[in-house]
Amino acid sequence: MITLFWCPQTRASRVLWMLEELAEPFEVRLANVRDPDSLDDDFRRASPMGKVPAIMDEAANGTVYMADSAPVCLYLADRYAQGRLAPAVDDPARGQFLYWMGFTPGAVEPAMMEKFIGFEVSPGSCGWGNYEIVMETLAQGVKEGPWVMGEQFTAADVLLGSSVNFMKQFGLLGEGSALEPYLERCLARPAYQAALAREADG
């Protein structure tokens, strides 16, 4: 059984969406990261930094403890939906899939912080380039669509779609963004809607 350690209004919403896409049994356990003294031992083992999302996956061959949305989504896709939400390891598409799996933590989130704090960066010395390069790259990546890997929706879209949604909520997307149609497709997915309803229920 998969347990998601979740806290409202956090990145844990990404993994909640991912779990709904899996259609595997799971439970949600509140981990109030805003009150560190309330956190239990299972959560602390899964998330050494005390951050959500984190999961505990109890299986016949042992229990997996891990945290951070990108590796968690990759693990879940590989273990429970390889070929559906992740290309197989020997699939030539795997390289591009892994690139896009790393794009949210490696490029989008640093670029968002750059924009939030008004920090001017040198594209030549920053791993993510800069905000404009990140946005252009992502827009080109989903241009052909409907998904970043073409016809196949994958775990990469969970990460990227949620990131684009965060950017829109925080006013970073801009009017008439080329990413709007992609975001609309993500938000219309039944699994996303199910995750949204579960979040609303607390």
Side-chain angles (χ1 to χ4, degrees), residues 56 59 68 74 84 96 113 124 153 168 183:
M56 177 176 66
D68 204 349
L74 180 59
R84 181 167 64 88
Q96 278 297 299
M113 186 58 64
F153 178 90
K168 182 172 183 176
L183 177 59

Side-chain angles (χ1 to χ4, degrees), residues 21-63:
E21 293 283 355
L22 286 184
E24 293 283 336
F26 69 94
E27 65 177 21
V28 176
R29 187 186 301 180
L30 176 64
N32 186 359
V33 293
R34 300 173 183 101
D35 179 14
D37 291 339
S38 71
L39 301 173
D40 65 29
D41 290 342
D42 287 335
F43 173 75
R44 292 181 185 281
R45 183 169 180 183
S47 182
M49 292 182 67
K51 301 282 190 178
V52 289
I55 63 166
M56 177 176 66
D57 187 12
E58 299 169 281
N61 63 341
T63 301

Side-chain angles (χ1 to χ4, degrees), residues 2 4 6 11-26 53 55 68-87 94 97 101 153-160 162 186 189-196 198-199:
I2 305 165
L4 168 64
W6 167 89
R11 291 175 179 85
S13 62
R14 290 174 176 159
V15 176
L16 190 56
W17 176 13
M18 181 68 188
L19 287 165
E20 294 288 358
E21 293 283 355
L22 286 184
E24 293 283 336
F26 69 94
I55 63 166
D68 204 349
S69 52
V72 166
C73 286
L74 180 59
Y75 163 79
L76 292 171
D78 278 347
R79 180 154 189 165
Y80 294 102
Q82 194 170 103
R84 181 167 64 88
L85 294 175
R94 181 77 175 185
F97 169 72
M101 284 297 292
F153 178 90
T154 68
D157 293 298
V158 171
L159 294 172
L160 295 171
S162 62
C186 288
R189 290 186 67 82
Y192 177 85
Q193 292 299 318
L196 197 65
R198 194 185 287 258
E199 283 235 319

Side-chain angles (χ1 to χ4, degrees), residues 93-107:
R94 181 77 175 185
Q96 278 297 299
F97 169 72
L98 292 176
Y99 172 79
W100 289 116
M101 284 297 292
F103 199 76
T104 285

